Amino acid sequence: MSVKTSTARTVTVATVQFEPIVGDRGHNLAAIERLARAAKAKGAEIVVLPELADSGYSFRDSEEVAALAGPVPGGPSAETLRRLAEELGLYLVSGIAEQDGDRFYNSALLCGPEGYIGKYRKLHLWNNENRLFEKGDLGLPVFDLPFGRIGIAICYDGWFPETFRELALAGAELVCVPTNWVPMASAESAAEPMANILHKAAAHTNGLYIACADRIGVERGQTFIGRSLIVGPQGWPISGPASADREEILLAQIDLSRVTETRTLNSFNHLLGDRRADVYG
């Protein structure tokens, strides 16, 4: 697939922050539809939703995962999201509980006006996810959309710089991040969540737009921190951070053609071209 030219390619991105309810797929899909419609009414062309937005997160056991997960594409959640994207004429990136035979994945679905486009399976599993899901086995795909090239990461993937570097090297210009960020140790008095710092740094060091959609609320004793944000390719937030505890839609109009120029720092230096692959691969 060819990399797009540097002519202006603007698109309006929305990140949706809300509180899924574990075990209540009907409620969660209804909330997704309501919020996606609201984002569309505000001009959104891409809508990013939280991690495991259709199912909730704090599963008791693998039996509960099995009751909520479905095939991607073709399962109940995947079909609902596909139909919604087609009806609204926008692109949806949503966390989703995926079943593939007897295996389960913490995944993200990409669909658009043309229907199902592709999926990503979370590479780096957090805490009890290791008991419930398989590690992702699809690599880090990059998808060509009419306005540019899109990558996907999920939550703890953002703690690994290689995630964003690999996506940038593969031609990604925007990375959509469904996430369920939780409080980090020793961060109670910090002015800013570590998650926000990491994603601002990743955007800066790779010349990427990054759109993070977090959830809110407390689920079976687990607190989630909200603070969704959209970051520009120089590392500064262009929308958000959102609150820690309120349902919110963040919007930003971005120009993906800026990625190329942002990566060129001066007449000598380029963020990706200066890599010493001879030393560190």
Side-chain angles (χ1 to χ4, degrees):
M1 298 180 182
S2 60
V3 177
K4 304 293 188 293
T5 66
S6 60
T7 56
R9 292 180 280 111
T10 60
V11 63
T12 300
V13 179
T15 61
V16 170
Q17 177 171 292
F18 79 108
E19 183 176 5
I21 296 176
V22 67
D24 194 339
R25 181 163 54 198
H27 168 88
N28 298 334
L29 291 174
I32 288 169
E33 179 176 352
R34 171 177 58 84
L35 291 161
R37 290 185 184 279
K40 171 70 175 182
K42 295 174 182 288
E45 298 166 89
I46 308 175
V47 174
V48 187
L49 297 154
E51 179 180 9
L52 294 171
D54 69 319
S55 62
Y57 182 79
S58 301
F59 302 107
R60 290 193 179 94
D61 49 39
S62 57
E63 287 74 22
E64 191 170 39
V65 176
L68 292 165
V72 179
S77 295
E79 283 298 288
T80 297
L81 293 168
R82 177 190 62 78
R83 289 193 296 267
L84 182 63
E86 289 177 351
E87 178 193 341
L88 297 180
L90 51 68
Y91 292 90
L92 288 176
V93 179
S94 179
I96 191 168
E98 180 189 2
Q99 180 177 7
D100 184 358
D102 60 355
R103 293 172 175 262
F104 301 94
Y105 296 92
N106 183 339
S107 296
L109 166 78
L110 171 61
C111 49
E114 63 270 51
Y116 172 77
I117 297 170
K119 63 187 173 185
Y120 164 73
R121 290 170 171 169
K122 187 175 183 180
L123 293 179
H124 306 95
L125 301 181
W126 173 259
N127 202 359
N128 285 328
E129 293 174 35
N130 286 279
R131 297 190 300 106
L132 304 169
F133 297 106
E134 302 292 328
K135 292 181 179 179
D137 57 1
L138 299 178
L140 288 159
V142 174
F143 303 96
D144 272 316
L145 300 187
F147 38 76
R149 309 198 77 203
I150 308 302
I152 302 173
I154 299 176
C155 201
Y156 187 45
D157 289 329
W159 269 249
F160 297 84
E162 296 87 349
T163 299
F164 297 103
R165 179 54 48 86
E166 287 296 314
L167 287 167
L169 289 171
E173 298 161 318
L174 165 66
V175 179
C176 299
V177 184
T179 186
N180 282 348
W181 290 329
V182 299
M184 301 301 292
S186 304
E188 294 82 3
S189 61
E192 183 175 16
M194 181 57 66
N196 288 23
I197 295 170
L198 289 171
H199 289 81
K200 289 193 294 184
H204 174 80
T205 55
N206 292 287
L208 287 167
Y209 287 96
I210 301 179
C212 303
D214 195 14
R215 65 160 291 168
I216 53 172
V218 179
E219 187 179 84
R220 292 176 175 168
Q222 176 62 67
T223 299
F224 300 93
I225 68 170
R227 311 292 289 177
S228 303
L229 80 166
I230 303 172
V231 187
Q234 291 178 316
W236 303 112
I238 52 179
S239 188
S243 69
D245 56 5
R246 294 192 307 276
E247 182 176 283
E248 293 187 47
I249 298 172
L250 300 180
L251 287 160
Q253 186 178 73
I254 65 176
D255 180 0
L256 295 178
S257 69
R258 288 196 58 225
V259 164
T260 299
E261 64 187 64
T262 300
R263 289 173 178 167
T264 301
L265 303 179
N266 54 53
S267 58
F268 290 98
N269 297 116
H270 187 278
L271 283 173
L272 302 183
D274 286 342
R275 295 177 63 251
R276 288 294 304 274
D278 60 311
V279 176
Y280 46 72

